[in-house]
Amino acid sequence: MALTFKDETFRDDFTFSNSPAAIRRFPFPFVEDKYMYSVNIEPHTTGPEGSVFEFPFDIDEHYVSEMRDRAMVLQEDPARCQALPHMMMAQWDMLELVMMSMARDYPDLFTLTRDGSKWHWVNRPLKIEQTFTFGDASTLPYEPMEYIGRQVQGDFSIQDQRDNQLWMDAGIITSQADWSLDFDVGMNFFEWHGPVPLAHEAGVFERALKFLLNLQISNPVRRLNWTMTINPRLDTSPENYHKWGKDRTTVTPENVGQKVHLRVEMQGLFRLPRSNAILFSIRGYLLSLDQLVTVPKWGRRLHRVLKTLPEELIGYKGLSRYRDTTIEWLSKYDDGAPTSRGGGPD
Amino acid sequence: MTISTLKSRPTYPGLSPDHNARSNIIVCDKAGAEAVTELFSRADDTFAKRSTVIVAEGTTDQDAETLKTALAPATVGFQPSLETGIARLREFLKDAPMGLRLYAAGSEPLIGSVVQAAADYSIDHLSIRTEHRGSLKRRVQCVHCKGFTENVTTNPVTCSHCGLTLMVRDHYSRRLAAFQGVCIDAEVPGEVPETEALYQ
């Protein structure tokens, strides 16, 4: 797929939008007309050509602009990228996995040449060329996780595995759905999920942890998660909540379609070979409701999902102030017709 | 009151003597000292002798004498504040031999500070025996400006650094030894619920 990178913003004037092709490949997360947490993990295997699942790390038309937004966030708040000292091996693991994948899957855009530990990396869209020694962080302008993290879409955290637990001991997180890496770094799997309602009681995290502790090299897995965001803002961090929180009060019946966005995270989990850590990718996709309802099935289904969402999730996902307005607006697109199974467009 | 369903919220099971340890370091405040006295009464005779107690809170001379008597024959050191108490603890841990057991008793900021300092010396948090006593006050980190507000007894609370009104979440970071404070009126500035004295 030949990519044309859009020049757009995720703050201030919010010029972000999806092309018709990007709408078609949007990973709509609802497989039925209602939603509840589950351990919805599946193998992260090669998906259909052109889909967001085609490659381990999906690069799309928003790549260049997203990387520019990430650089702005890191400039303002360097603590969005942190790694505890024992994570250096895992950082190199991540760099290797991401560079190898991107060069293999997008040869027109990225090239990696390796001669022993002498590596040469070319990133054409961002106009970066770098020769470095694999394993020697002093040969890169940033530590390895930050170096490659500034060149790949999605947030990343790296989990160390010890004592039958996963510990979030590193991450580069600039477009998070309201959680703080700076606060959570060093926590275990149950601790950093502490604030999530209902799922603990349902045993979701215990089952998921047990599964992930046994994750094998070369067999990555993925799941979809979702929330809603007002304006196509990537940086919905708690750090800046006092700046963007008031966006939630700006939704009116007239502007729902432009303001309200469905935000989907394709979360990938990869076992790393040297460190035995787990790389967690959180690849976000935004879609305005105006664009979402161009797929009739999605308009119908989102209307039904929002209507039946449990109260705790409405609060946790921060939908309370604009959910009713959104449901009312979506009702115009729900004629009551049955919807097909699965998330894809009909 | 310190019980919460949130998984990042620490639990404090109470002090129990480890008779296998060759030496003990016990950090407490005045309220926690009562738990230490009770610990000694449950342990064998030589346990207190093998113990060093750091009282990390200002005391009057009279209080100090009373505590020394109550905690005898342990070695008792008095520090004027939590901060200096932790500095003293770090000196001990720097030269700590094998077979040392660490205890903390008192307010949550005290226990959290002990656990935080111990992590720098590779002491696992679960190996530290802890008991909560006295005030429910909390240490809160503002997620926005990253400043710490000490001795928080209310929810919401005003950040002592940036002045935002913060909701105190039960979400707790061991690394920071603090609860998370998040702006409570970010969506509608000024829309603040009544202040509750939840952590007296």
Side-chain angles (χ1 to χ4, degrees):
Chain A
M1 182 180 60
L3 277 174
T4 307
F5 297 112
K6 303 182 74 165
D7 183 4
E8 59 194 353
T9 59
F10 303 88
R11 54 180 73 202
D12 305 324
D13 57 349
F14 297 109
T15 60
F16 164 91
S17 71
N18 288 289
S19 68
I23 297 172
R24 293 292 294 182
R25 74 198 293 275
F26 183 80
F28 189 76
F30 306 112
V31 295
E32 54 184 348
D33 290 351
K34 59 181 174 6
Y35 174 79
M36 188 48 200
Y37 286 125
S38 61
V39 187
N40 53 335
I41 300 176
E42 60 180 357
H44 192 20
T45 47
T46 304
E49 193 181 331
S51 76
V52 300
F53 305 124
E54 184 177 6
F55 302 123
F57 303 100
D58 181 46
I59 302 296
D60 69 11
E61 63 188 15
H62 309 296
Y63 175 63
V64 173
S65 294
E66 280 190 25
M67 293 300 98
R68 186 169 54 209
D69 194 78
R70 164 158 300 161
M72 290 161 81
V73 172
L74 290 171
Q75 176 77 29
E76 287 164 18
D77 184 2
R80 302 291 186 89
C81 177
Q82 293 194 43
L84 299 183
H86 60 274
M87 297 302 283
M88 188 51 83
M89 180 74 86
Q91 289 196 44
W92 285 109
D93 274 334
M94 171 188 168
L95 176 139
E96 176 186 53
L97 175 65
V98 174
M99 280 189 179
M100 301 266 289
S101 304
M102 287 168 74
R104 179 194 62 216
D105 300 332
Y106 302 92
D108 296 348
L109 306 179
F110 312 102
T111 304
L112 179 66
T113 315
R114 296 182 299 162
D115 175 14
S117 62
K118 297 288 171 212
W119 289 30
H120 182 231
W121 169 249
V122 181
N123 178 333
R124 287 178 200 88
L126 298 184
K127 302 181 175 61
I128 291 171
E129 190 170 350
Q130 180 79 39
T131 303
F132 62 99
T133 306
F134 187 85
D136 181 355
S138 71
T139 60
L140 285 174
Y142 305 98
E143 289 194 355
M145 176 184 69
E146 180 169 359
Y147 180 76
I148 196 60
R150 284 171 174 268
Q151 300 181 50
V152 58
Q153 281 172 279
D155 284 350
F156 289 84
S157 67
I158 312 180
Q159 279 62 233
D160 194 26
Q161 181 163 333
R162 56 181 192 272
D163 301 336
N164 281 317
Q165 255 296 354
L166 295 174
W167 304 83
M168 195 191 318
D169 287 345
I172 176 165
I173 307 286
T174 62
S175 52
Q176 65 266 49
D178 209 3
W179 64 279
S180 168
L181 172 77
D182 183 48
F183 194 80
D184 289 359
V185 70
M187 288 189 190
N188 73 32
F189 193 78
F190 297 137
E191 290 168 346
W192 86 69
H193 285 117
V196 183
L198 302 179
H200 290 277
E201 292 74 6
V204 165
F205 293 121
E206 273 173 34
R207 292 202 298 281
L209 175 62
K210 196 170 275 186
F211 180 87
L212 293 176
L213 289 173
N214 291 303
L215 188 66
Q216 302 296 307
I217 293 174
S218 306
N219 292 316
V221 296
R222 67 173 173 244
R223 67 181 286 262
L224 295 179
N225 195 14
W226 70 278
T227 187
M228 300 187 91
T229 301
I230 303 310
N231 299 324
R233 186 189 294 281
L234 287 177
D235 178 17
T236 48
S237 60
E239 276 81 359
N240 284 331
Y241 173 52
H242 58 307
K243 297 175 189 163
W244 58 261
K246 47 180 93 68
D247 290 1
R248 288 176 173 166
T249 63
T250 62
V251 178
T252 65
E254 293 71 39
N255 67 18
V256 168
Q258 304 104 61
K259 283 252 175 206
V260 181
H261 288 68
L262 180 60
R263 178 195 188 97
V264 174
E265 298 177 348
M266 194 216 338
Q267 305 178 340
L269 291 137
F270 306 81
R271 174 70 69 191
L272 298 174
R274 297 174 188 78
S275 58
N276 198 43
I278 290 180
L279 178 67
F280 182 48
S281 66
I282 310 158
R283 174 69 169 85
Y285 298 85
L286 287 164
L287 184 61
S288 71
L289 294 198
D290 267 347
Q291 295 201 313
L292 182 139
V293 298
T294 61
V295 177
K297 171 181 165 181
W298 292 351
R300 287 186 191 108
R301 179 162 289 169
L302 184 61
H303 176 241
R304 296 169 198 179
V305 166
L306 286 182
K307 263 172 85 170
T308 56
L309 200 63
E311 202 58 46
E312 291 88 342
L313 294 188
I314 296 165
Y316 176 66
K317 290 181 185 288
L319 316 180
S320 312
R321 289 192 195 274
Y322 56 87
R323 174 173 161 262
D324 289 347
T325 310
T326 305
I327 290 173
E328 179 60 33
W329 186 86
L330 280 168
S331 67
K332 297 190 301 247
Y333 300 92
D334 187 358
D335 55 6
T339 53
S340 59
R341 285 279 309 171
D346 284 327
Chain B
M1 261 308 285
T2 58
I3 293 166
S4 163
T5 54
L6 209 87
K7 302 287 178 186
S8 62
R9 182 83 167 84
T11 54
Y12 310 108
L15 299 185
S16 61
D18 176 0
H19 286 115
N20 295 318
R22 280 194 228 149
S23 61
N24 309 297
I25 293 182
I26 305 167
V27 186
C28 64
D29 52 24
K30 281 189 280 190
E34 287 176 33
V36 181
T37 316
E38 290 165 29
L39 168 74
F40 286 174
S41 71
R42 288 196 296 271
D44 66 29
D45 296 346
T46 58
F47 183 85
K49 257 188 220 164
R50 297 194 300 273
S51 301
T52 302
V53 181
I54 301 170
V55 181
E57 185 179 4
T59 48
T60 61
D61 290 351
Q62 198 185 341
D63 280 348
E65 278 312 310
T66 313
L67 279 174
K68 256 188 196 167
T69 313
L71 297 170
T75 308
V76 186
F78 294 90
Q79 295 293 334
S81 66
L82 176 55
E83 203 182 351
T84 56
I86 295 299
R88 187 83 189 94
L89 170 67
R90 286 180 176 277
E91 283 170 35
F92 276 115
L93 295 180
K94 200 168 56 174
D95 306 315
M98 295 290 286
L100 173 109
R101 175 68 64 187
L102 189 55
Y103 301 77
S107 70
E108 281 201 272
L110 177 131
I111 299 172
S113 301
V114 169
V115 169
Q116 183 187 37
D120 290 342
Y121 300 88
S122 304
I123 297 176
D124 188 88
H125 68 278
L126 292 174
S127 77
I128 302 168
R129 302 193 179 188
T130 58
E131 181 159 340
H132 180 262
R133 286 286 176 112
S135 168
L136 297 170
K137 66 185 180 185
R138 293 178 166 193
R139 190 163 187 250
V140 174
Q141 189 198 33
C142 172
V143 76
H144 312 290
C145 78
K146 306 293 182 182
F148 292 94
T149 301
E150 306 287 344
N151 304 319
V152 171
T153 56
T154 64
N155 195 3
V157 66
T158 303
C159 174
S160 60
H161 300 267
C162 69
L164 286 175
T165 308
L166 305 177
M167 176 183 70
V168 181
R169 302 177 79 190
D170 265 354
H171 198 30
Y172 182 85
S173 164
R174 227 175 2 258
R175 190 178 61 90
L176 302 169
F179 289 88
Q180 190 175 58
V182 181
C183 182
I184 199 166
D185 59 343
E187 300 188 7
V188 182
E191 194 180 282
V192 175
E194 207 167 315
T195 301
E196 288 184 272
L198 287 180
Y199 318 123
Q200 297 277 12

